[in-house]
Amino acid sequence: AQKITQTQPGMFVQEKEAVTLDCTYDTSDQSYGLFWYKQPSSGEMIFLIYQGSYDEQNATEGRYSLNFQKARKSANLVISASQLGDSAMYFCAMREWNNDMRFGAGTRLTVKP
Amino acid sequence: DGGITQSPKYLFRKEGQNVTLSCEQNLNHDAMYWYRQDPGQGLRLIYYSQIVNDFQKGDIAEGYSVSREKKESFPLTVTSAQKNPTAFYLCASSIRGASYNEQFFGPGTRLTVL
């Protein structure tokens, strides 16, 4: 069963503006982790940010923040002050305890100058 | 420098041939994974291994085989039974078990069947 849903196949944002990439997940576990990865056209997967299910505060890493709404089972990625180099595929992923990681279908972000 | 290496970066194969993709890590991770990615799609799990000499099928294991004889190495063989093997293959590793450990990825191998 699909556990990670990314409903936006593609998104556009103007340079220097903020953008939110949506992610919802499904789990019955209490302990799990949520991750966002960036995949540029070169194909490498770059880890961006992590949110634990027990973390009370939203995770932040530089220009990346994770808007975690546990009751709604959503973990949206917010990129502030978009740069041209942010254009890439973005994947949301979840890892349950002692389990493998599951990925969403991804969102292609294009930053316009 | 710790990391994951995959070789080759590009691989061409004739239909009906088996081919083996290499994945090596020096991160001392117990768990290793193989994913397949088709153009514009997400990652699908082929096989994973939590410990040496043990591995489990993922969602799309048919037509693939793996071995885990050493902690550092997790090669993937794409057999002639795989009907549509042209894809981008990513290897990853992580610390075993805990949900807070991210996966580290190699640079990937692009396989094209001619």
Side-chain angles (χ1 to χ4, degrees):
Chain A
Q2 180 64 34
K3 291 196 168 189
I4 303 290
T5 303
Q6 294 181 253
T7 57
Q8 307 153 314
M11 289 282 286
F12 291 88
V13 64
Q14 206 66 39
E15 195 178 4
K16 299 180 186 175
E17 291 187 352
V19 63
T20 298
L21 306 183
D22 295 341
C23 174
T24 58
Y25 60 92
D26 182 31
T27 181
S28 54
D29 281 14
Q30 295 302 308
S31 176
Y32 53 90
L34 297 157
F35 305 81
W36 278 91
Y37 285 85
K38 172 184 178 181
Q39 187 181 43
S41 56
S42 58
E44 60 188 306
M45 293 284 282
I46 302 167
F47 166 69
L48 296 177
I49 195 166
Y50 161 81
Q51 178 84 42
S53 58
Y54 292 116
D55 294 342
E56 293 186 352
Q57 292 197 333
N58 288 341
T60 59
E61 288 287 348
R63 293 187 299 110
Y64 304 108
S65 60
L66 201 152
N67 184 0
F68 180 46
Q69 298 186 45
K70 193 170 182 177
R72 296 181 60 188
K73 293 188 177 176
S74 76
N76 299 339
L77 177 71
V78 180
I79 305 175
S80 63
S82 297
Q83 301 172 355
L84 295 177
D86 293 335
S87 293
M89 283 288 285
Y90 288 81
F91 292 97
C92 179
M94 177 179 66
R95 188 173 187 186
E96 297 159 324
W97 177 262
N98 211 29
N99 220 327
D100 48 281
M101 192 173 283
R102 296 290 167 164
F103 290 82
T107 295
R108 180 170 297 281
L109 177 66
T110 303
V111 180
K112 298 195 277 188
Chain B
D1 249 337
I4 301 177
T5 57
Q6 290 184 246
S7 60
K9 187 169 184 178
Y10 298 96
L11 188 57
F12 298 88
R13 174 195 113 173
K14 289 184 181 178
E15 216 169 315
Q17 288 180 339
N18 291 356
V19 64
T20 297
L21 281 59
S22 166
C23 177
E24 304 275 333
Q25 55 99 358
N26 60 3
L27 299 167
N28 201 33
H29 287 164
D30 285 310
M32 296 187 74
Y33 310 82
W34 273 106
Y35 293 93
R36 170 182 171 137
Q37 187 179 28
D38 293 289
Q41 305 293 316
L43 277 66
R44 292 187 290 168
L45 184 65
I46 305 172
Y47 268 99
Y48 64 100
S49 168
Q50 300 271 30
I51 199 166
V52 174
N53 292 322
D54 185 54
F55 48 83
Q56 310 294 330
K57 291 182 180 180
D59 299 322
I60 55 164
E62 186 175 347
Y64 300 97
S65 66
V66 293
S67 63
R68 187 85 187 276
E69 297 175 3
K70 298 187 300 182
K71 188 176 186 177
E72 303 80 19
S73 177
F74 191 40
L76 173 75
T77 297
V78 184
T79 74
S80 55
Q82 169 50 235
K83 298 201 184 313
N84 186 18
T86 294
F88 186 53
Y89 292 87
L90 283 159
C91 178
S93 73
S94 74
I95 296 172
R96 180 185 173 192
S99 58
Y100 49 78
N101 296 124
E102 76 265 31
Q103 289 185 356
F104 294 81
F105 284 83
T109 293
R110 292 191 187 276
L111 172 64
T112 303
V113 174
L114 304 172

